[in-house]
Amino acid sequence: MNILISGGRVIDPAQGIDRVTDLYVSNGQISAIDNAPEGFQPDEVIDARGQVVCPGLIDLCAHVREPGYTQKGTIARETAAAASGGITTLVTPPSTRPIVDTPAVAELIQDRAAEHGLARVLPMGALTQGLGGEQLAPMHALAGSGCIAFTNTRKPVTSTLVLLRALEYAATHDLLVIFQAQDGWLSAHGCMHDGATCTRLGLNGIPEAAETIEVARCLMLVEQTGVRAHFGQLSCEHSVRLIDAARSRGLRVSADVSIQNLLLTDEAVDGFNADYHLMPPLRSPLDRAGLRQGLVTDTLQAICSDHQPHEAIAKQAPFAATEPGISNLETLLPLCLQLVDQQLLGMSQLIEKLTLGPARILDLDEGTLEIGTRADVCIFDPEQRWTLRAEQMRSGGHNTPFLNRELKGQVTTTLLGGQVVFRR
Amino acid sequence: MSESTTPEQIQLTADGQLRHFLTTEGLPKALLTEILDTADSFADMSEQQVKKVPLLRGKTVVNLFFEASTRTLSTFELAAKRLSADVLNLNISTSSTKKGETLKDTLMTMHAMHSDMFVVRHSDSGAAHFIASQVTPDVAVINAGDGRHAHPTQAMLDMLTIRRHKGDFAPLRVAIVGDILHSRVARSQIHALRTLGAGEIRVIAPLTLLPRHIESMGVKVYTDMSSGLRDVDVIMMLRLQKERMESALLPSESEFYKLYGLTNDKLAYAHPEAIVMHPGPINRGVEIESAVADGPRSVILNQVTNGIAVRMAVMSMAVSGQQAQRTQNQENDR
């Protein structure tokens, strides 16, 4: 199967490519750029004029809800949503039911994803058994079954000794640990940023310290153990500064941020709109500015969707009783393109945060269009305006504040391993 | 819920009449004044032989209480009856929710009973907003207290009490004392006082009982009574829940009383004609000394009386707002 993607603006940050040219795909791999390889006969020509052609997006945090929470989302639906959003690789947290603390669950998730063949799903394994924060999960076995990294999600590892040992054990096997830093005590019962809006609404706040204290604690232990570490979905300006200082000291740490925390602030919660109930919470304009700055200085190397689909009823209750999160796979790219329109990032820089950046964090040979790599390709029209409609969403969750809003930038074709898995 | 709705949008009809009463925040001064004026006329009426008016005849008011209450529930009931409404009291804290029924399911059941007004108390902040967003357009929702967010009828009966004793709000210094953090009453009082133009609003509490950004609501923060009460005209005490000791917010009741309990000694810091208020029920010897609670400056019992008048005012205004909205909708449909 040979595919010619013709006349698009090909952007590949890994190779420093940003030009209008042709891209050639043969037998599931990128086979040439600019000029056809010898004897190339296209079975299909994709006309990409006026569109951007880039590596398939890699999303560092997307809940697929299966197994266990299929009323919210399924691997079939969420990978279909991913494909329609140009995302070819999803990293999914271990908080399924059962939790990903046995190889069987990790394998089940990957098998289901392979069965549907719309996006690759890489499970994160639990750092501790049952995410209970007491006993170590069998990390070596889990890694053998395809777990790409290990995390205790936002569930606390209360004992610092257990945390230290978990990191030592992960370091023993050179495994990546991902922190979703949140202090259990300071965030208990909290449902939004502890700011002026929270004060007025009389909701339980989550102070910045709930994140920064845990970031600081984890950094100290990362320094001691030398484990490969990544911080996911930071929400506070001060956390960015902590990561920056650690990197300056030479620590091997990376960090990402969700697009919602780059665009929105806690003021959106006014009026108790549960669509803005997120975890981590939307924070102050100051925090948002700090996160945006962190993106520019490359303290934050990736942007993720933090996709958390829910069934309708999960959002139909008084604010604190609703479940947090937004369904975001189908909006990740158009929302990210706002950063280009706002002149925070250039187009190529943005693509890097969605492809090469996350690939490097995960130590994957992906996120590039280099010759010989697997042909995961996203083709999108950066100018196309469209409106997000619930009935057209592929994800099981329609919980997003961007419903019925006009967005700019739409994926037209997605290739996974050289196969067209989505075409508009 | 769809777009984020500001408090005034959800509470008012297209032409600015009250249709739900969820919070004192964002309502225009004229409307708060109208509530007080209407309540004043009902207050005079309650001193007469026949205490009933037919404003809500044929209407059904459902008191939906998801949180236990005696005095708020009974004053709402009395207010509805004096307006000639049929009243149904539902104490849901002990029944459906324990069986796993969601708030939405409970609402749909209540809906099928075709009532005209829900008076709602719930332990979650935002519950009244949520209910108002779910009911059909011809049902009025009155917030009788949601979590720590708002208790607007309590705040308005406090405003009525202040106005009846002090007249104009502009020259007044008002201090709110005690557990501001957990208080829906304090939040509603602050919004109402600001809108009505009170000269200065102070809060007095230890930092553990103050929301982190309380000054953003337009109040001055004091942590001690001697400077906080200096020259104030109105002292609004708040109830201190016993659970606060267990969550490490305070060392002991006695230490709180020593520092923040309103005693005659501390009352001496205030203006000589200052009035003392409390939303009740009072904890004698915890936040207030008996001699003050029962003393000549206390207007605590006036507050209770004014509570009935204010609730009558709000209920009658919301029902006529709903009717106006319905007429308008019908005209638009034509």
Side-chain angles (χ1 to χ4, degrees), chain A residues 199-200 202 204 208 270 273, chain B residues 2 4 25 125 148 187 212:
Chain A
T199 292
R200 259 186 320 106
N204 277 308
E208 298 90 330
D270 214 349
N273 188 338
Chain B
S2 58
S4 166
E25 183 186 357
S125 298
R148 305 172 180 185
R187 286 177 176 80
R212 230 173 117 205

Side-chain angles (χ1 to χ4, degrees), chain A residues 20 256 311 328:
Chain A
V20 173
D256 73 67
E311 71 280 31
N328 205 20

Side-chain angles (χ1 to χ4, degrees), chain A residues 1-6 22-33 35-37 40-48 53 375-377 379 413-423:
Chain A
M1 179 79 180
N2 293 335
I3 300 173
L4 163 60
I5 302 167
S6 97
D22 299 332
L23 189 70
Y24 300 85
V25 174
S26 315
N27 304 320
Q29 295 183 341
I30 306 291
S31 55
I33 187 162
N35 301 309
F40 183 90
Q41 288 293 328
D43 300 298
E44 184 182 351
V45 178
I46 296 169
D47 180 0
V53 178
D376 292 351
V377 184
I379 307 172
T413 311
T414 306
L415 270 67
L416 180 72
Q419 302 286 319
V420 174
V421 288
F422 173 76
R423 199 191 309 262

Side-chain angles (χ1 to χ4, degrees), chain B residues 179 182 209 240-250:
Chain B
D179 186 359
H182 299 92
L209 297 181
L240 185 80
Q241 306 282 349
K242 307 252 181 196
E243 304 90 87
R244 305 307 170 218
M245 313 307 148
E246 289 149 31
S247 40
L249 290 162
L250 292 172

Side-chain angles (χ1 to χ4, degrees), chain B residues 193-334:
Chain B
L193 284 165
R194 284 192 73 187
T195 304
L196 291 167
E200 189 182 319
I201 309 164
R202 302 176 181 181
V203 293
I204 311 174
L207 293 176
T208 50
L209 297 181
L210 285 168
R212 230 173 117 205
H213 296 270
I214 188 68
E215 73 297 331
S216 68
M217 290 182 73
V219 298
K220 284 192 185 171
V221 177
Y222 291 83
T223 52
D224 75 290
M225 293 286 264
S226 60
S227 55
L229 288 182
R230 177 92 46 216
D231 300 328
V232 301
D233 305 286
V234 178
I235 305 170
M236 306 169 100
M237 300 303 296
L238 297 172
R239 180 179 164 78
L240 185 80
Q241 306 282 349
K242 307 252 181 196
E243 304 90 87
R244 305 307 170 218
M245 313 307 148
E246 289 149 31
S247 40
L249 290 162
L250 292 172
S252 68
E253 268 179 21
S254 60
E255 181 148 317
F256 180 80
Y257 182 65
K258 193 174 161 212
L259 295 170
Y260 300 98
L262 189 63
T263 57
N264 269 323
D265 289 349
K266 295 196 193 99
L267 186 54
Y269 298 126
H271 188 279
E273 283 166 34
I275 55 170
V276 175
M277 304 171 65
H278 192 298
I282 58 176
N283 285 321
R284 290 167 189 268
V286 178
E287 69 259 351
I288 193 163
E289 183 182 34
S290 281
V292 176
D294 306 328
R297 314 271 281 281
S298 166
V299 296
I300 295 171
L301 291 176
N302 304 60
Q303 286 175 271
V304 179
T305 315
N306 291 338
I308 299 165
V310 159
R311 282 158 186 144
M312 288 172 75
V314 170
M315 289 170 130
S316 61
M317 285 168 68
V319 163
S320 71
Q322 291 291 353
Q323 265 157 359
Q325 183 74 49
R326 218 170 311 159
T327 314
Q328 186 138 27
N329 291 350
Q330 281 162 359
E331 273 168 19
N332 290 347
D333 289 346
R334 250 173 238 157

